Amino acid sequence: MEENFVPFGGIKDDLRGRLVCYKQDWTGGLRAGFRILAPTTYIFFASAIPVISFGEQLERNTGGLLTAVQTLASTAICGIMHSIIGGQPLLILGVAEPTVLMYTFLFNFVKDRPDLGPKLFLAWSGWVCVWTAILLFLLAVLGACSIINRFTRLAGELFGLLIAMLFMQQAIKGLVDEFRIPERENSKLTEFQPSWRFANGMFALVLSFGLLTTALRSRKARAWRYGSGSFGGFIADYGVPLMILAWTAVSYIPSKDIPKGIPRRLFSPNPWSPGAYENWTVVKDMLKVPVIYIIGAFIPATMVAVLYYFDHSVASQLSQQKEFNLRKPSSFHYDLLLLGFMVILCGLIGIPPSNGVIPQSPMHTKSLATLKHQLLRNRLVAMARKCMGNNASLAEMYGNMQEAYQGMQTPLIYQEPPAQGLKELKDSTIQLASRMGNIDGPVDETVFDVEKEIDDLLPVEVKEQRLSNLLQSLMVGGCVAAMPLIKKIPTSVLWGYFAYMAIESLPGNQFWERILLLFTAPSRRYKVLEEYHATFVETVPFKTIAIFTVFQTAYLLICFGITWIPIAGVLFPLMIMLLVPVRQYLLPKFFKAAHLKDLDTAAYEEAPGLPFNLAIEEDMGSGASLGDDRQILDGMITRSRGEIKRICSPKVTSSTASPSKDFISQNSPRFTDKIFSPRISEFRGDRSPRGPFSPRNVEASLQTWEKNVRIR
């Protein structure tokens, strides 16, 4: 995104870019057919379940004035609007934890004031939303989203890990509460006696950990050795919602001798219950708010505006990272303008506003990347088998596959052609066939293994469309009418799903990977280089990595601690925004520029990303195949910009090239499973002489490689 601070300039650019591809946003989703239901269902549960839980939390914190009905309605209304007239359809909207914290603060402020009180809570919140919308309008018009380029990996990954911690905190807190008596409940009831409370808590542990374990395993179903490929694909696509249904069914196993309230289930009034619709007409009470409070609403509105500006923009940024190779333009300015309209709408009908959410937004993009991979793979496998059946040569087969690949793209006027098509990805197989003398002869499975080679050739792409976002928003809206059925889900299943979402957001977060590296035994750090790893592992000294990670961890803990402060808890986005000047002016005084560039590459100082053909051909071993599409994506890319996980990086040193080409296997069109890296010997020392990677062989290989470099 180019910086544009001209009034209305950024909005005009966003509209101009997105209108060109608006029609294709719909036709692309429709052409995917029923396969679009897999990412739709996946992101629906990722969006609806937290919203239901946040609704329960708001119901407790606001005395029942806001419930899950309102949070679901807000998520559905805003999601439908954004999917139809929004700019970036990959962005998922929903009521998030920061909104819950803000509304809790607003309720605590008004409940003991005689001139406001709980009766005018929603009316005064409406004025807060009005002021918030005005501030969002100003930020969008003046191009404030251009500053998002200054948010580096330091801020983005820290914020993502903070959200994961909040999800895990909510899961742990919910499980602890299963052993306690809920607020506003009759403590004399049988299910609240100490023995039954303990039984409820233990059963809650079984349900939550059962869901967490089975949900994580179901996402890897494509790699299972048992069952057919279609069965594994079905479980991987729909396993999480199936596990929710399965563990809900398990909760009904206890006999009739068990009190009715065990296990505890979701509580929320039905949308047609008496008084449930009163907040929809809150606009008529807004003029009853004293003028001094109308003006004073500007103060919390500034905090909400900053919160939404940051949360919405970062969620959008994480959903369209460079690793996903998105071909359609971004829409930060216009989406922020539309968010202002949605905030004022939600305030006028008495429901909490929705904004872009993490980790659901990047999860949505990743699920669509899996979908695009499947669609491309099926088409190219069919073309390859057809060419083999016609005794075509390898060159002819690649030409036909290239045409089929380009035929599945939807080029637009402003788009650049895909830089990593199949033509640039075939070199290793062509070279092997040339050495074997098979370049002009009929191709067969000995030269080109269809099932394995196609997976290596395909780049990471995303099925960019609006249909999945619209369908999941409609399904969330349907939850309002299905509230009687939703209330049958045990609360403990929700806590297990919260933990699942927290864990699911960790793969690819380089901050998290560096934390794990710190806890890796020195004698075993060489294993990091023998597997997929980020380039900083080879280019930055371990001491520098440790200091940078400790600083980031300390800052994360400070931000997390602020969320525990009742009033100041809503200010934690300001701490995240403070990282911009910290990164730009303070950190360069303590870290070398080259090390910062590898550890925390900023968009405005980012080196060109490595081509995917190089990454795939060097990363994927001879035995690599597509077991789990999501696992492939998690292994290949990080959640940072322009960073590709590599087995051997060309950035090993600033003055030398990578020696990986000296180790190409003569028996496979792909590199060997373990590719050499000069820092393996540094991490290993003399302790682990294992085969070709022993220190003696490493030293000999390095000497040979240095001679070749001098000759060149």
Side-chain angles (χ1 to χ4, degrees):
M1 178 182 64
E2 297 182 0
E3 294 187 357
N4 190 340
F5 294 101
V6 178
F8 294 98
I11 297 174
K12 291 179 181 178
D13 292 342
D14 291 346
L15 287 174
R16 189 181 299 112
R18 294 305 309 192
L19 285 175
V20 175
C21 55
Y22 185 79
K23 179 180 178 181
Q24 199 276 331
D25 284 342
W26 293 107
T27 57
L30 293 173
R31 281 199 297 267
F34 71 92
R35 287 181 177 272
I36 200 68
L37 295 179
T40 298
T41 306
Y42 175 70
I43 205 63
F44 158 68
F45 278 90
S47 179
I49 290 182
V51 167
I52 294 172
S53 178
F54 291 146
E56 278 214 337
Q57 187 176 344
L58 275 175
E59 193 272 337
R60 295 191 300 268
N61 296 344
T62 63
L65 293 176
L66 292 173
T67 65
V69 172
Q70 282 76 38
T71 56
L72 286 170
S74 173
T75 302
I77 293 172
C78 295
I80 292 172
M81 291 179 61
H82 183 80
S83 63
I84 296 176
I85 61 176
Q88 178 51 262
L90 299 177
L91 180 63
I92 299 297
L93 272 62
V95 177
E97 177 74 16
T99 301
V100 176
L101 295 175
M102 177 58 67
Y103 266 74
T104 301
F105 162 71
L106 296 179
F107 180 79
N108 292 333
F109 176 79
V110 304
K111 66 179 182 180
D112 295 327
R113 299 183 180 274
D115 43 357
L116 285 176
K119 291 184 178 181
L120 291 179
F121 160 64
L122 293 177
W124 187 62
S125 299
W127 284 112
V128 174
C129 290
V130 170
W131 284 115
T132 300
I134 294 174
L135 293 173
L136 291 176
F137 293 154
L138 291 174
L139 290 172
V141 169
L142 298 178
C145 289
S146 296
I147 305 176
I148 201 66
N149 285 334
R150 301 288 169 170
F151 285 98
T152 65
R153 182 185 302 144
L154 175 69
E157 293 192 342
L158 189 147
F159 186 67
L161 199 55
L162 176 62
I163 297 299
M165 291 176 65
L166 292 176
F167 270 99
M168 187 61 71
Q169 171 189 265
Q170 186 66 25
I172 296 174
K173 182 180 178 181
L175 284 175
V176 171
D177 289 341
E178 295 287 341
F179 290 89
R180 299 173 178 170
I181 301 176
E183 296 180 5
R184 300 192 307 275
E185 293 288 351
N186 185 1
S187 60
K188 296 182 180 180
L189 295 177
T190 304
E191 59 263 30
F192 297 138
Q193 298 303 312
S195 58
W196 286 116
R197 279 193 284 120
F198 179 78
N200 178 78
M202 296 304 296
F203 194 28
L205 290 175
V206 172
L207 295 176
S208 58
F209 278 97
L211 175 71
L212 174 61
T213 303
T214 54
L216 290 173
R217 292 183 64 85
S218 69
R219 295 301 294 169
K220 301 178 181 179
R222 287 189 178 91
W224 291 354
R225 67 177 66 179
Y226 309 106
S228 62
S230 58
F231 173 77
F234 177 80
I235 296 298
D237 290 336
Y238 302 100
V240 176
L242 288 175
M243 292 304 104
I244 293 175
L245 296 178
W247 287 101
T248 299
V250 170
S251 69
Y252 283 94
I253 291 179
S255 63
K256 296 181 180 179
D257 296 333
I258 304 297
K260 184 178 180 181
I262 297 179
R264 298 172 190 171
R265 305 185 186 277
L266 295 175
F267 173 80
S268 179
N270 295 322
W272 51 82
S273 300
Y277 54 85
E278 290 182 355
N279 62 308
W280 302 99
T281 58
V282 70
V283 64
K284 63 181 176 55
D285 295 327
M286 291 181 64
L287 294 179
K288 298 179 182 179
V289 178
V291 176
I292 186 64
Y293 289 106
I294 294 177
I295 299 174
F298 179 81
I299 298 176
T302 56
M303 295 186 289
V304 179
V306 170
L307 171 66
Y308 284 176
Y309 159 73
F310 179 82
D311 210 1
H312 200 72
S313 299
V314 171
S316 182
Q317 184 188 49
L318 293 178
S319 68
Q320 47 189 328
Q321 300 170 77
K322 289 186 178 180
E323 298 92 310
F324 293 127
N325 292 319
L326 301 185
R327 302 182 62 206
K328 297 178 181 178
S330 60
S331 182
F332 289 96
H333 307 277
Y334 171 69
D335 283 347
L336 189 65
L337 179 72
L338 180 61
L339 177 63
F341 285 107
M342 290 187 290
V343 167
I344 197 171
L345 172 63
C346 291
L348 294 179
I349 60 178
I351 60 178
S354 295
N355 65 287
V357 288
I358 303 172
Q360 290 91 331
S361 296
M363 287 170 64
H364 183 218
T365 305
K366 185 176 280 190
S367 66
L368 292 174
T370 301
L371 172 64
K372 185 67 176 285
H373 188 107
Q374 293 171 341
L375 295 175
L376 286 171
R377 184 180 188 275
N378 293 342
R379 179 72 174 270
L380 296 182
V381 166
M383 177 59 67
R385 295 198 182 281
K386 180 180 178 181
C387 292
M388 288 182 179
N390 296 333
N391 294 324
S393 67
L394 189 61
E396 292 173 342
M397 185 184 72
Y398 268 112
N400 293 334
M401 290 172 58
Q402 180 71 19
E403 292 180 4
Y405 173 82
Q406 295 293 349
M408 293 195 68
Q409 308 299 320
T410 309
L412 300 174
I413 297 174
Y414 60 88
Q415 288 181 335
E416 296 181 359
Q420 67 285 347
L422 299 181
K423 185 176 181 180
E424 300 176 3
L425 298 173
K426 66 181 181 181
D427 293 343
S428 61
T429 306
I430 292 290
Q431 291 173 3
L432 174 67
S434 299
R435 290 195 299 267
M436 297 174 63
N438 295 335
I439 187 64
D440 297 321
V443 65
D444 56 23
E445 294 283 347
T446 61
V447 177
F448 188 90
D449 189 334
V450 175
E451 296 296 331
K452 295 180 180 180
E453 299 293 331
I454 293 293
D455 299 327
D456 291 354
L457 293 173
L458 285 177
V460 176
E461 294 187 22
V462 174
K463 190 69 174 176
E464 300 179 65
Q465 41 72 48
R466 295 178 180 269
L467 190 59
S468 61
N469 201 341
L470 175 63
L471 291 178
Q472 73 89 19
S473 299
L474 291 173
M475 294 168 70
V476 171
C479 290
V480 177
M483 191 58 67
L485 295 177
I486 292 176
K487 290 192 292 186
K488 296 182 179 297
I489 301 176
T491 54
S492 52
V493 170
L494 262 67
W495 312 138
Y497 190 80
F498 267 54
Y500 165 77
M501 289 191 63
I503 296 174
E504 185 76 354
S505 66
L506 295 179
N509 188 313
Q510 196 178 99
F511 179 23
W512 174 251
E513 293 172 357
R514 282 189 273 108
I515 293 176
L516 296 180
L517 183 62
L518 294 186
F519 288 94
T520 303
S523 60
R524 303 185 66 84
R525 286 183 193 140
Y526 70 90
K527 287 185 171 293
V528 176
L529 290 172
E530 291 185 348
E531 300 173 352
Y532 293 100
H533 64 277
T535 56
F536 73 85
V537 179
E538 300 187 44
T539 59
V540 182
F542 180 77
K543 182 179 179 181
T544 303
I545 295 174
I547 295 174
F548 187 84
T549 305
V550 169
F551 161 77
Q552 200 172 1
T553 303
Y555 204 96
L556 171 67
L557 295 177
I558 292 174
C559 294
F560 181 69
I562 289 177
T563 62
W564 284 67
I565 304 175
I567 298 179
V570 297
L571 298 177
F572 77 89
L574 296 178
M575 293 293 297
I576 305 295
M577 297 184 69
L578 184 63
L579 284 173
V580 174
V582 168
R583 166 62 178 88
Q584 194 167 355
Y585 301 110
L586 185 61
L587 290 184
K589 296 181 179 181
F590 298 94
F591 298 93
K592 294 181 179 180
H595 294 164
L596 277 179
K597 193 168 186 178
D598 287 334
L599 289 171
D600 184 43
T601 301
Y604 56 87
E605 61 180 17
E606 187 171 88
L610 295 170
F612 267 75
N613 60 330
L614 181 62
I616 295 178
E617 289 186 6
E618 293 187 5
D619 282 0
M620 302 298 288
S622 59
S625 63
L626 183 66
D628 180 353
D629 292 330
R630 276 181 57 83
Q631 286 179 291
I632 293 294
L633 291 174
D634 286 341
M636 285 176 54
I637 62 178
T638 68
R639 294 182 188 274
S640 53
R641 292 180 297 275
E643 179 72 43
I644 302 176
K645 287 188 174 182
R646 307 180 45 72
I647 290 180
C648 188
S649 170
K651 297 170 61 180
V652 173
T653 66
S654 59
S655 60
T656 61
S658 170
S660 60
K661 292 184 180 179
D662 295 337
F663 294 86
I664 299 178
S665 170
Q666 299 298 318
N667 300 318
S668 170
R670 294 290 175 262
F671 291 96
T672 57
D673 289 337
K674 302 295 183 183
I675 296 179
F676 169 77
S677 172
R679 284 195 75 186
I680 291 181
S681 57
E682 175 187 336
F683 281 152
R684 259 193 187 153
D686 297 324
R687 287 183 260 212
S688 180
R690 296 173 62 183
F693 296 106
S694 66
R696 181 176 301 176
N697 289 341
V698 168
E699 182 179 356
S701 300
L702 274 175
Q703 293 175 354
T704 303
W705 172 66
E706 289 173 354
K707 291 180 181 179
N708 293 335
V709 171
R710 285 196 294 269
I711 292 174
R712 295 190 190 114

